[in-house]
Amino acid sequence: IMDIWYTSVIVQQEETKGDLVTYLTEHFPEYQWMPAEIVLEQTVGKVMETLEGMKIPITAALGAVVMLITALMQKLFIIREKAEVAMLKSIGMSSVHIRGWQISRMIITTFLAGIVAIPLSFVSNYLVLRPIFSLMGAEVSIQTDPVKAYLIYPGVLLVCVILTTAIG
């Protein structure tokens, strides 16, 4: 069994990382010198690259779950409001208008859920995730890409809701 010890050396010089590694290797040949990025990659792995590759499958799985929940909600609404739908048809409202009404209701519900979810995500990041990581000794700041987190992914889920409502 081989033990590995890492020592962090902070150097205040104008040299590049490669030049500094060469200098330290020449003067301290008994040690193996490498930049911190390589050490992190060797010990932790390429976590960010792995997570980047998981975005599309996770989004697809989440979209499928949202579609299933939307289909269930739609069926429950229609069963509960069977008499109202029959009344609307009897006064001359077409099936297209009733379907449009269902789609608009699901869109409004999705927008309201998003409006509630955005502040809750800030609160959960601050009150839940940060204390969990601080218990493990890590001081983290949760970083989000606002365009992806608040426009692109909710837009994808909104499209899933609209498609499910229009098909069902």
Side-chain angles (χ1 to χ4, degrees), residues 91-130:
I91 61 172
M93 188 172 277
S94 68
S95 296
V96 173
H97 284 95
I98 294 173
R99 186 175 296 263
W101 166 61
Q102 290 287 340
I103 291 172
S104 63
R105 181 163 63 171
M106 295 303 258
I107 290 172
I108 290 169
T109 304
T110 305
F111 271 121
L112 291 176
I115 289 170
V116 171
I118 289 172
L120 286 177
S121 72
F122 290 125
V123 171
S124 70
N125 285 344
Y126 186 75
L127 295 178
V128 176
L129 294 178
R130 287 182 64 188

Side-chain angles (χ1 to χ4, degrees), residues 31-42:
Y31 298 109
Q32 181 181 3
W33 298 94
M34 61 186 75
E37 293 87 7
I38 295 174
V39 173
L40 282 174
E41 186 177 301
Q42 288 177 353

Side-chain angles (χ1 to χ4, degrees), residues 24 26 29-30 33 40 43-45 50 58 63 65 68 71 80 88 90 99 103 121-122 130-131 142 154:
L24 291 172
E26 289 173 359
E30 64 273 8
W33 298 94
L40 282 174
T43 56
V44 179
T50 304
I58 289 174
V65 169
L68 291 172
R80 192 184 70 200
L88 289 173
S90 70
R99 186 175 296 263
I103 291 172
S121 72
F122 290 125
R130 287 182 64 188
I142 307 298

Side-chain angles (χ1 to χ4, degrees), residues 34-164:
M34 61 186 75
E37 293 87 7
I38 295 174
V39 173
L40 282 174
E41 186 177 301
Q42 288 177 353
T43 56
V44 179
K46 298 181 179 184
V47 175
M48 291 309 294
E49 289 180 16
T50 304
L51 290 176
E52 286 291 326
M54 298 283 295
K55 282 183 183 179
I56 292 175
I58 289 174
T59 304
L62 184 61
V65 169
V66 166
M67 291 176 92
L68 291 172
I69 291 171
T70 303
L72 177 65
M73 284 179 53
Q74 183 182 6
K75 298 301 178 191
L76 289 174
F77 286 157
I78 290 172
I79 290 171
R80 192 184 70 200
E81 299 168 349
K82 191 185 297 184
E84 288 87 353
V85 171
M87 184 185 68
L88 289 173
K89 283 195 170 193
S90 70
I91 61 172
M93 188 172 277
S94 68
S95 296
V96 173
H97 284 95
I98 294 173
R99 186 175 296 263
W101 166 61
Q102 290 287 340
I103 291 172
S104 63
R105 181 163 63 171
M106 295 303 258
I107 290 172
I108 290 169
T109 304
T110 305
F111 271 121
L112 291 176
I115 289 170
V116 171
I118 289 172
L120 286 177
S121 72
F122 290 125
V123 171
S124 70
N125 285 344
Y126 186 75
L127 295 178
V128 176
L129 294 178
R130 287 182 64 188
I132 289 172
F133 283 106
S134 66
L135 284 173
M136 295 184 281
E139 187 64 34
V140 294
S141 62
I142 307 298
Q143 300 174 355
T144 57
D145 183 359
V147 173
K148 288 181 182 175
Y150 306 121
L151 289 176
I152 294 174
Y153 292 121
V156 168
L157 297 180
L158 181 64
V159 167
C160 290
V161 167
I162 293 170
L163 284 175
T164 305

